[in-house]
């Protein structure tokens, strides 16, 4: 478990490993001492994965689709109907430990909300890398870096701002307080993207009846059939089209197939 982020001057590594290779259907979970997921990813296709962040004492945050975790160039969130492309004035990955960089993120909204125009907005950010850490969890040797993102304006509210830790080995970003709780790592296979969300919810839900419902639903043939349909339709669409800027909720049939797999629809009470 990470107990603190050591000063960068005390840590030196010859190189940083590339993110581990994952196949479609693979998931990765970072767990705390109670084996509750802190964060996780599900690989949908070569250029897209679903990421989920845990929340203390509550259900997890909404899933987000990304091409990469550390300053993504493609990012989408269905429940917010958010679908955007990012371009950075400089590459944050080039920052050395102890260094900082000022970048401009040019965000361009993509369809389905913006079919005829592509409104852009720019955000000035300051990125500082404070430490690089290597540690072993569940037999995996992980390497990552602690970094801070600040806005250009005081009082600015943006979920990208704050202290974070990037687990480079598996390309997962999580808030620094959560990163300090990492005690175990789990890898496995899920039936589809929403099945991964159901797995995550099942292990983090503070509501016993809801947890029981999720667990029972995931064992049924009907659930497995819905998951197979989602993987063959929604997930296959994202794997093919996400990098080009498309998201499945622009298609009614795909949206409905995704909704049918939602554990919140299958266990509404």
């Amino acid at each position: 478990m990470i107990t603190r982020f050591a000063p960068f001057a005390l840590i030196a590594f010859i190189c940083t490993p590339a993110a581990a290779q994952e196949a479609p259907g693979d998931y990765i979970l970072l767990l705390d001492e109670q084996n509750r997921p802190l964060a996780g990813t599900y690989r949908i296709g070569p250029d897209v994965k679903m990421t989920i962040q845990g929340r203390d004492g509550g259900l997890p945050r909404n899933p987000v689709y990304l091409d990469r975790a550390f300053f993504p160039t493609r990012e989408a969130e269905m429940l917010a109907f958010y679908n955007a492309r990012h371009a950075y004035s400089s590459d944050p990955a080039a920052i050395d430990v102890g260094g900082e960089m000022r970048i401009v993120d040019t965000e361009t909204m993509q369809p389905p909300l913006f079919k005829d125009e592509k409104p852009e907005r720019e955000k000035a950010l300051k990125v500082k890398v404070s430490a690089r850490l290597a540690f072993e969890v569940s037999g995996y040797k992980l390497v990552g870096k602690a970094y801070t993102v600040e806005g250009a304006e005081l009082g600015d509210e943006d979920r990208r701002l704050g202290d974070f830790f990037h687990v480079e080995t598996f390309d997962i970003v999580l808030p620094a307080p959560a990163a300090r709780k990492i005690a175990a790592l789990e890898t496995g296979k899920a039936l589809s993207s929403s099945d991964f969300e159901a797995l995550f919810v099942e292990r983090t839900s503070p509501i016993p009846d809801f947890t029981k419902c999720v667990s029972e639903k995931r064992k049924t043939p009907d659930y497995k059939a819905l998951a197979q349909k989602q993987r063959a339709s929604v997930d296959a669409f994202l794997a093919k089209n996400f990098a080009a800027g498309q998201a499945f909720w622009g298609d009614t049939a795909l949206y409905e197939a995704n909704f049918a797999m939602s554990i919140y629809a299958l266990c509404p009470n």
Side-chain angles (χ1 to χ4, degrees), residues 7-193:
F8 70 85
L10 300 181
I11 302 171
F13 293 94
I14 296 174
C15 63
T16 299
Q21 295 300 307
E22 308 148 38
D26 289 352
Y27 74 77
I28 299 164
L29 291 176
L30 298 175
L31 310 169
D32 65 14
E33 289 183 326
Q34 287 75 46
N35 280 324
R36 291 171 55 86
L38 298 162
T41 66
Y42 173 80
R43 176 60 62 182
I44 296 174
D47 302 310
V48 57
K49 59 185 176 180
M50 172 190 277
T51 68
I52 304 179
Q53 298 282 343
R55 201 157 27 188
D56 285 343
L59 294 169
R61 300 185 185 280
N62 296 329
V64 177
Y65 303 91
L66 304 170
D67 61 345
R68 67 188 194 198
F70 186 70
F71 288 89
T73 61
R74 279 287 289 114
E75 182 179 17
E77 183 179 341
M78 188 197 71
L79 293 179
F81 274 80
Y82 174 78
N83 187 25
R85 188 181 300 280
H86 298 273
Y88 307 103
S89 57
S90 299
D91 185 1
I95 307 173
D96 291 328
V97 176
E100 66 178 56
M101 177 185 290
R102 293 181 181 272
I103 65 171
V104 175
D105 174 9
T106 301
E107 180 186 55
T108 304
M109 301 304 295
Q110 305 291 301
L113 292 185
F114 299 93
K115 296 181 179 179
D116 301 319
E117 58 179 331
K118 295 182 179 179
E120 293 184 351
R121 57 184 179 184
E122 292 186 346
K123 177 80 173 186
L125 303 169
K126 182 168 70 173
V127 186
K128 297 187 290 186
V129 176
S130 59
R132 187 173 297 286
L133 302 175
F135 53 101
E136 186 169 318
V137 174
S138 301
Y140 292 89
K141 293 183 179 179
L142 305 184
V143 173
K145 61 188 174 190
Y147 68 99
T148 299
V149 183
E150 299 176 356
E153 300 178 11
L154 292 176
D156 198 1
E157 293 186 5
D158 190 312
R159 66 181 180 181
R160 293 172 296 180
L161 307 183
D163 295 319
F164 301 94
F165 187 74
H166 179 211
V167 181
E168 295 165 299
T169 312
F170 287 106
D171 190 32
I172 299 176
V173 165
L174 64 168
R180 296 186 182 100
K181 299 178 183 178
I182 296 173
L185 185 148
E186 176 182 308
T187 63
K189 292 277 188 182
L191 299 175
S192 69
S193 55

